[in-house]
Amino acid sequence: MTTQLAVSALALEEGFGGALLRGVGAIALYAVVGLLLMLVGFYAIDLTTPGKLSQLVRDGAPNAVVITSAGLISMAFIVVVVINNAGGKLSEGLLSALIFGFVGVIVQVLAVRLLEWVTRIDIGNLIRSEVYTPASLVVASAHLALGLVVAVAIS
């Protein structure tokens, strides 16, 4: 009875609490999926790039930080568009985020390797350098552009 009085006093619609909990749950689940995809993306780049990317980032290697940051942002583009297109269907949205996210990771890894071959940029030496090199922006731009392309392809 006191709960009904409190809800009435606040003029909240019936079912508001349940909707609020579902929304908080959806945020938590999408955050977990987004984080998982960013970790997968990071480790995919780490495994396919000469050198230990995680150590280089911790050590503050500027080119490694620039390229890694762009890769993480590009994964976020994909997750954001999937969430936006889910239309409130949580399970479909989560599954779509996982599938499109993994496809995005594969596409990015392949495209960066192709970019490395076409431009003759030695990404291994680039990310290990302790001096900022503008070529890292080319690689970072490729990550961001591909993230946007995959994200728009989803919509």
Side-chain angles (χ1 to χ4, degrees):
M1 176 112 173
T2 22
T3 306
Q4 286 179 335
L5 289 175
V7 170
S8 297
L10 293 174
L12 299 175
E13 293 184 26
E14 189 173 325
F16 174 76
L20 191 62
L21 287 176
R22 283 190 299 280
V24 168
I27 290 169
L29 289 170
Y30 275 118
V32 168
V33 167
L35 180 60
L36 173 70
L37 289 170
M38 288 184 214
L39 288 172
V40 167
F42 176 83
Y43 284 110
I45 294 167
D46 192 14
L47 289 171
T48 60
T49 304
K52 188 68 178 148
L53 191 57
S54 57
Q55 186 62 49
L56 292 168
V57 169
R58 278 194 304 277
D59 292 345
N63 302 314
V65 170
V66 167
I67 292 168
T68 301
S69 298
L72 293 174
I73 292 169
S74 70
M75 288 306 305
F77 288 152
I78 295 167
V79 173
V80 166
V81 170
V82 167
I83 292 169
N84 187 56
N85 289 339
K89 299 175 184 165
L90 182 60
S91 56
E92 289 176 20
L94 291 169
L95 185 59
S96 295
L98 283 170
I99 292 168
F100 290 132
F102 285 124
V103 169
V105 168
I106 293 166
V107 167
Q108 283 194 332
V109 167
L110 294 174
V112 169
R113 296 290 78 84
L114 179 62
L115 174 74
E116 180 179 12
W117 178 74
V118 168
T119 62
R120 303 290 188 240
I121 294 173
D122 183 347
I123 293 179
N125 282 333
L126 178 70
I127 65 168
R128 283 191 297 271
S129 176
E130 294 180 13
V131 177
Y132 167 74
T133 306
S136 67
L137 291 180
V138 173
V139 179
S141 296
H143 278 291
L144 293 172
L146 286 163
L148 285 171
V149 167
V150 171
V152 171
I154 293 166
S155 63

